[in-house]
Amino acid sequence: MGKRKEESISKPRSHKRQRQEYTDEHSDESNEEENSQSSADSNISSLPTVGEVGIIESIQLKNFMCHSMLGPFQFGSNLNFVVGNNGSGKSSVLTALIVGLGGKATATNRGSSLKMFVRDGETSADISITLRNQGRDAFKPEVYGSSIIVNQRINLDGSRSYRLKSKSGTLISSKKEELLGILDHFNIQVDNPVSVLTQEMSKHFLQSKNEGDKYKFFMKATQLEQMKEDYASIMKTKKNTSIQIEQGGKHLQELKLLYRDKRDRYKNIGIMNDLRNHLEDLKHKMAWAVVGEMEKEIQPLREGIRAEEENAEKFVQKLEECQVKVNEAEEKYKAIQEKLIAISEEAQALHPQCISLKADVQARRKAVNEAEVLYNRFKTELKRLGKDDEQLRKQIEQLKSSSNQVSEPEKLKRQRKITHLREQLKAFHDEEVMIGQQVEQFQQAIYKCKEELARLRREDCDVKQALDAKQKQLRELKDSKTNTLKRFGPHMPAFLEAVETAYRQGRFKHKPLGPLGAFIHPKDAELTLAVESCLKSLVQAFCCDNHSDERTLQELMSKYYPRGYRPQIIVNKFQNQVYDVRQRGVHHPEFPSVLTALEIDHAMVANCLIDARGIETILLIKSSRKAREVMQLNRPPKNCREAFTAEGDQVFERRYYSSDYTRPKFLSQDVEAEISHLEKEIEHKKAQLTASQQRLYSIDNEIRQNEDHLYGHRQHQKELQIKIRTTNAEIADLENVEEHQSVDIRTLEDEAEENKGKMESVKQDMQQQSRKMEELKNILQVAEKKFEEMKEKIHQVEENAGPIK
């Protein structure tokens, strides 16, 4: 119950009491609220009393219980009645009064939690209560003034906040302790049924017949219960205090003894203080003496400084000119860097075409060689048939011109022998052709085996190099378990230590940053390979603030890295903020850019990657199919130059390049998984190398066997040629005998005609093969020309890149 201060009026005059009615009409969204009236007795001049402090002047509710807006209600200084129909908000005003002055939700008997008082569909409820603060018992009148406004907001999660304001609306405090101090000062007890009696509490009090309940009500109403609890707490505090006093008494004796000891020591060191003061005076005199000496030494220096300051303007002007030149050089460097990136991309695009053209040239050359072999075979056959035709003509002419008469039996014997020799000769020729074909087959087999052997040796060399690289990478990964910097090379820790030493010695104006890969961390592990494929050698690069630091860093690198294998150095003025790339960066609702997909530890590392690679314009898309849809099937997103997939493939608007990498080397976070994967790859490479060596051994044996067979067939071919010459000589001797040759000339003529038919057939085959060979040669020339043009183009690109590098 609030305190009521009364003042006596010496001459009371009788006047009629005048009633003031305060009516406030409200209607919520569901039209369920009705008119509510508040009547109060006004201050009447004839009454002898006026309230001073703790009086509720007004109350206003917003989104409280079922009311969207209720009040403000202005109350009188004395007795007030709140009347209205059911549902108009009478109980809501009483409930808000309890809750607004810090009472618990259970004390209202209208809910178990504060969030139940927030109107449905709203996020918070507001209660504003104005308390009178006048007279000599006012609470901090110089701060709050004549009224205290208590604002309370109840959130939907059940939390609440207080705002205590002065009459002018100035926020004084937002602490509940301040509100409790005000309530204690005004003796307002919201949980005391004598102060605030709810419907449920009055009903329970009237209906209860239990004397114990009424006694509890009495204890609570008279604050005896609170006093009992306070008394118990005070007795407990008193007991604890007595124990502490007893312990403190014991400790006090020890402190007295310690005090006496310290006092004696203080007296003994008094002389030391005098000596110390004298020493301080001497030090001061010595310092001033040193100052005097230094001033004498400084005087020439000051004169020199004045002389140098006179020349400072010239140096400043020269410095500005140099700065302009430096800015121009940096712009040229950036342009050259962009040109170098474009040339590198062009060279990468030309390499697959060059490999394809080279394979095409090899295939065309092989086809031309096969056609030439077949053409030479026809040519050899035609020469042989020509020689046979010439011999047949000579035999026919000799037979026709022969006029010697020989006996019939001798003619028949000679004819049979010649026929037999011709059959042998034909068999020798057939065998020679067959041997020639077999020799050619062996030659082709040896040629193919040697090609396969060369290919396998190249593959074997590639596998060995890959195996060495994998083993080296495995060693670096295992070393990186204890030192993560070893991922970037075995010399990296020692090199960084040398950089740190040089920086401490003052050789650098700003400490270089690097390797850049040590400062970046992919947020999504699945995009690690994509990031490495995008950044490539920039992962191992370093960043310097100026060209002087760059030269110093190059000098240090020469001690740890051979020429051609040194990390890249980027020169960029150091600053503490990342570039603002919101206008020129790519923004996609589904896929991140390289810049947003990375956690970068240093602003300059981000700026270097933006300058050197444009990471704000590159998207990372895990699926290659989705990447093609975004970049090629539709128009690429705004400011997007390219994209990378989770497999490391590079996707442009009209081009797609597969990645040379299969696993991340520098940025992987799971070192154990990478080590396990590398060990499996090394085992696979070793098995592949073993299989390759076995295949090499098998092909080498096959080549030796074919060469042995080829040597044997050539020897047999030579023997056959000797037999053919011998047989031809015997036939010639028999045909040249000076006797009448009775050989059947018609048979020889038929054989000659058959031989001519074969010659015509072979000639046609030769012509056809010659045309085919010419066509293949033309195609080969075109392919070789394209290949040479491509090689020249790549050479030109490399020559252009050389000076730029």
Side-chain angles (χ1 to χ4, degrees):
M1 201 65 156
K3 289 182 179 179
R4 306 288 180 174
K5 294 275 184 174
E6 296 181 354
E7 294 180 355
S8 298
I9 301 176
S10 60
K11 295 179 180 181
R13 290 173 292 180
S14 63
H15 292 278
K16 290 186 178 179
R17 179 177 294 180
Q18 186 177 4
R19 169 180 289 182
Q20 290 184 344
E21 294 184 352
Y22 299 90
T23 306
D24 190 30
E25 296 182 0
H26 304 276
S27 59
D28 61 3
E29 295 170 355
S30 61
N31 295 322
E32 292 180 355
E33 297 182 8
E34 298 180 359
N35 296 332
S36 176
Q37 295 179 342
S38 172
S39 65
D41 291 338
S42 62
N43 296 329
I44 301 172
S45 60
S46 63
L47 294 179
T49 60
V50 176
E52 292 286 344
V53 295
I55 297 172
I56 299 171
E57 292 184 342
S58 67
I59 185 169
Q60 181 178 359
L61 313 179
K62 181 179 178 182
N63 297 327
F64 188 80
M65 297 181 70
C66 62
H67 306 282
S68 60
M69 179 64 75
L70 199 60
F73 296 116
Q74 302 293 333
F75 297 110
S77 300
N78 297 310
L79 185 63
N80 293 269
F81 294 91
V82 180
V83 297
N85 296 327
N86 290 337
S88 61
K90 302 185 298 297
S91 299
S92 298
V93 171
L94 183 62
T95 303
L97 187 62
I98 297 172
V99 175
L101 294 177
K104 298 180 181 178
T106 54
T108 64
N109 294 318
R110 300 299 297 269
S112 59
S113 175
L114 290 175
K115 62 184 178 181
M116 299 176 66
F117 297 127
V118 180
R119 189 168 182 261
D120 291 341
E122 302 295 337
T123 59
S124 63
D126 295 306
I127 303 170
S128 178
I129 301 171
T130 304
L131 301 176
R132 182 171 296 175
N133 189 40
Q134 298 177 1
R136 64 175 178 272
D137 290 334
F139 182 81
K140 297 180 182 179
E142 70 281 358
V143 177
Y144 287 97
S146 61
S147 297
I148 299 175
I149 302 172
V150 180
N151 289 339
Q152 183 178 155
R153 170 163 289 185
I154 303 172
N155 298 314
L156 196 57
D157 59 357
S159 62
R160 60 181 171 184
S161 59
Y162 299 93
R163 295 171 68 85
L164 303 177
K165 298 181 180 179
S166 64
K167 183 178 180 180
S168 60
T170 305
L171 178 64
I172 304 301
S173 176
S174 58
K175 296 181 180 180
K176 187 177 179 181
E177 290 76 7
E178 183 78 2
L179 176 62
L180 294 177
I182 293 171
L183 297 179
D184 288 342
H185 186 80
F186 292 162
N187 197 21
I188 298 175
Q189 305 166 19
V190 293
D191 56 348
N192 192 333
V194 174
S195 295
V196 181
L197 184 62
T198 63
Q199 292 179 0
E200 293 296 325
M201 181 62 74
S202 62
K203 188 187 298 182
H204 178 71
F205 176 72
L206 294 173
Q207 292 178 355
S208 175
K209 297 180 179 179
N210 189 349
E211 294 180 355
D213 292 341
K214 292 181 178 180
Y215 179 74
K216 288 179 181 178
F217 183 83
F218 166 75
M219 291 288 286
K220 192 171 185 180
T222 57
Q223 295 187 354
L224 290 175
E225 184 178 358
Q226 181 65 34
M227 291 174 66
K228 183 179 180 182
E229 293 175 358
D230 293 343
Y231 179 74
S233 175
I234 290 169
M235 292 304 294
K236 184 177 179 181
T237 305
K238 178 186 175 184
K239 183 179 180 181
N240 294 333
T241 305
S242 300
I243 295 172
Q244 290 178 358
I245 290 172
E246 185 178 351
Q247 294 174 350
K250 296 178 181 177
H251 188 57
L252 180 62
Q253 297 299 326
E254 297 175 359
L255 290 175
K256 285 181 178 179
L257 294 174
L258 183 61
Y259 164 72
R260 294 191 188 98
D261 182 52
K262 297 292 182 183
R263 185 183 60 190
D264 296 338
R265 289 185 63 189
Y266 176 76
K267 290 179 180 179
N268 293 331
I269 63 175
I271 300 173
M272 292 296 296
N273 289 334
D274 296 337
L275 293 174
R276 188 178 291 109
N277 294 332
H278 185 58
L279 179 63
E280 289 296 325
D281 293 338
L282 292 175
K283 283 182 179 179
H284 293 159
K285 292 178 180 179
M286 181 179 178
W288 281 111
V290 172
V291 168
E293 293 294 329
M294 293 299 296
E295 284 181 347
K296 293 178 182 178
E297 295 178 3
I298 288 172
Q299 188 62 32
L301 295 176
R302 285 177 177 171
E303 294 176 357
I305 289 171
R306 280 195 294 270
E308 292 297 331
E309 284 177 349
E310 292 176 358
N311 298 327
E313 293 182 359
K314 298 179 182 179
F315 290 119
V316 168
Q317 185 178 0
K318 192 173 181 180
L319 179 63
E320 290 176 353
E321 293 175 358
C322 292
Q323 186 63 39
V324 171
K325 292 180 181 179
V326 168
N327 293 335
E328 292 175 355
E330 287 180 349
E331 290 177 359
K332 289 180 181 179
Y333 175 76
K334 288 182 180 179
I336 290 170
Q337 189 72 17
E338 292 175 356
K339 188 175 180 182
L340 181 60
I341 292 172
I343 290 173
S344 301
E345 291 178 352
E346 185 180 356
Q348 289 178 357
L350 291 175
H351 274 298
Q353 299 178 21
C354 181
I355 293 169
S356 175
L357 289 174
K358 184 178 180 181
D360 186 48
V361 168
Q362 290 176 348
R364 301 297 182 191
R365 188 175 287 123
K366 186 176 180 182
V368 170
N369 292 336
E370 291 176 352
E372 286 181 350
V373 170
L374 190 58
Y375 177 78
N376 291 332
R377 189 186 302 163
F378 286 139
K379 190 175 181 180
T380 304
E381 182 68 16
L382 183 63
K383 286 181 180 180
R384 186 185 65 77
L385 291 173
K387 289 179 181 179
D388 291 346
D389 183 65
E390 186 178 353
Q391 289 178 357
L392 287 173
R393 283 201 308 272
K394 287 179 179 180
Q395 289 178 7
I396 291 170
E397 290 175 359
Q398 288 175 1
L399 288 174
K400 286 182 178 180
S401 62
S402 179
S403 58
N404 296 330
Q405 299 293 328
V406 293
S407 62
E408 195 67 26
E410 193 173 347
K411 288 180 182 180
L412 292 173
K413 183 179 179 182
R414 191 182 298 115
Q415 185 65 36
R416 283 196 296 272
K417 190 171 182 180
I418 289 172
T419 303
H420 177 66
L421 287 174
R422 288 188 185 282
E423 290 175 355
Q424 281 186 346
L425 185 62
K426 187 175 183 304
F428 290 153
H429 277 303
D430 293 340
E431 189 174 357
E432 185 188 18
V433 171
M434 183 182 69
I435 292 296
Q437 292 175 351
Q438 291 178 352
V439 167
E440 187 177 347
Q441 290 175 358
F442 283 125
Q443 287 177 339
Q444 290 181 355
I446 290 171
Y447 176 75
K448 290 181 180 179
C449 286
K450 285 184 177 179
E451 281 190 343
E452 180 70 12
L453 186 66
R455 185 184 65 80
L456 285 174
R457 281 177 178 166
R458 289 194 300 271
E459 290 181 357
D460 186 67
C461 183
D462 293 341
V463 171
K464 285 181 179 178
Q465 291 178 354
L467 180 60
D468 292 340
K470 296 290 183 187
Q471 289 175 337
K472 180 181 177 183
Q473 188 178 353
L474 179 61
R475 288 194 298 271
E476 291 174 356
L477 273 178
K478 287 183 177 179
D479 291 341
S480 71
K481 291 170 67 176
T482 56
N483 190 340
T484 55
L485 291 173
K486 288 189 176 180
R487 269 199 186 188
F488 301 94
H491 305 298
M492 188 59 71
F495 174 64
L496 290 179
E497 187 174 350
V499 171
E500 181 67 28
T501 302
Y503 176 67
R504 287 198 298 268
Q505 293 172 354
R507 297 175 63 187
F508 291 108
K509 294 180 182 178
H510 296 275
K511 182 180 176 182
L513 297 175
L516 300 186
F519 293 87
I520 60 177
H521 314 284
K523 297 177 182 177
D524 188 346
E526 295 182 13
L527 296 175
T528 304
L529 179 58
V531 173
E532 277 199 23
S533 299
C534 172
L535 300 182
K536 294 184 175 65
S537 61
L538 289 175
V539 176
Q540 296 176 282
F542 281 75
C543 179
C544 289
D545 173 74
N546 53 76
H547 290 284
S548 175
D549 288 352
E550 179 197 14
R551 288 190 292 272
T552 306
L553 189 63
Q554 286 278 15
E555 182 183 347
L556 289 176
M557 279 186 179
S558 63
K559 299 177 183 178
Y560 293 90
Y561 296 95
R563 184 175 294 276
Y565 294 92
R566 297 175 187 173
Q568 181 180 349
I569 299 177
I570 302 170
V571 180
N572 201 347
K573 189 69 177 175
F574 282 8
Q575 60 185 48
N576 297 325
Q577 291 184 344
V578 181
Y579 295 151
D580 185 2
V581 295
R582 288 175 292 183
Q583 298 300 323
R584 56 192 174 98
V586 60
H587 302 282
H588 195 278
E590 187 176 355
F591 307 112
S593 66
V594 178
L595 179 61
T596 57
L598 293 176
E599 290 181 358
I600 304 177
D601 298 339
H602 200 287
M604 273 314 303
V605 175
N607 292 341
C608 285
L609 296 178
I610 290 171
D611 288 337
R613 191 65 181 90
I615 59 174
E616 79 282 6
T617 63
I618 302 173
L619 283 178
L620 297 180
I621 305 173
K622 293 182 181 180
S623 169
S624 58
R625 180 185 61 80
K626 197 69 178 176
R628 289 180 186 273
E629 289 179 5
V630 172
M631 297 297 296
Q632 296 178 350
L633 296 182
N634 302 314
R635 184 180 180 86
K638 183 181 177 182
N639 298 331
C640 182
R641 293 193 298 111
E642 56 187 297
F644 282 85
T645 68
E647 291 79 18
D649 297 343
Q650 191 176 14
V651 187
F652 291 94
E653 184 175 0
R654 294 184 179 87
R655 292 168 290 164
Y656 188 100
Y657 300 111
S658 297
S659 173
D660 296 332
Y661 306 99
T662 56
R663 300 283 296 182
K665 182 180 179 182
F666 302 104
L667 305 180
S668 176
Q669 299 173 354
D670 192 351
V671 179
E672 293 295 338
E674 289 298 320
I675 290 174
S676 176
H677 180 77
L678 269 178
E679 288 175 344
K680 291 179 181 177
E681 283 192 352
I682 288 172
E683 291 299 325
H684 176 69
K685 291 291 182 185
K686 286 181 178 179
Q688 188 177 350
L689 188 62
T690 303
S692 176
Q693 290 175 348
Q694 291 176 353
R695 179 65 178 156
L696 281 171
Y697 179 75
S698 173
I699 291 176
D700 196 38
N701 286 338
E702 188 177 349
I703 289 173
R704 284 198 296 270
Q705 291 176 2
N706 285 333
E707 286 178 344
D708 292 340
H709 288 306
L710 178 63
Y711 178 77
H713 279 69
R714 281 180 173 168
Q715 292 297 325
H716 188 45
Q717 191 178 33
K718 290 179 180 179
E719 292 174 358
L720 284 174
Q721 290 173 355
I722 292 171
K723 288 181 180 180
I724 289 171
R725 287 195 295 271
T726 305
T727 304
N728 282 328
E730 289 182 9
I731 292 173
D733 291 340
L734 289 173
E735 289 175 344
N736 292 329
V737 175
E738 294 180 358
E739 294 181 354
H740 179 70
Q741 302 297 327
S742 60
V743 181
D744 192 352
I745 294 175
R746 185 175 296 278
T747 304
L748 293 176
E749 289 176 347
D750 292 341
E751 188 175 347
E753 288 296 328
E754 183 181 354
N755 199 47
K756 284 182 180 179
K758 289 181 180 179
M759 287 176 67
E760 291 297 328
S761 176
V762 171
K763 284 181 181 180
Q764 291 177 1
D765 291 341
M766 276 184 64
Q767 292 174 357
Q768 184 179 357
Q769 191 64 27
S770 177
R771 288 192 297 272
K772 184 177 180 181
M773 189 168 63
E774 288 299 324
E775 291 175 0
L776 290 173
K777 283 183 178 179
N778 292 333
I779 294 173
L780 176 61
Q781 288 177 357
V782 173
E784 286 178 341
K785 186 177 180 182
K786 289 182 179 178
F787 179 58
E788 290 299 327
E789 289 176 354
M790 183 59 64
K791 284 171 65 178
E792 183 64 27
K793 195 171 183 180
I794 292 174
H795 182 66
Q796 187 67 31
V797 169
E798 289 176 349
E799 283 185 350
N800 293 337
I804 294 174
K805 288 181 180 179

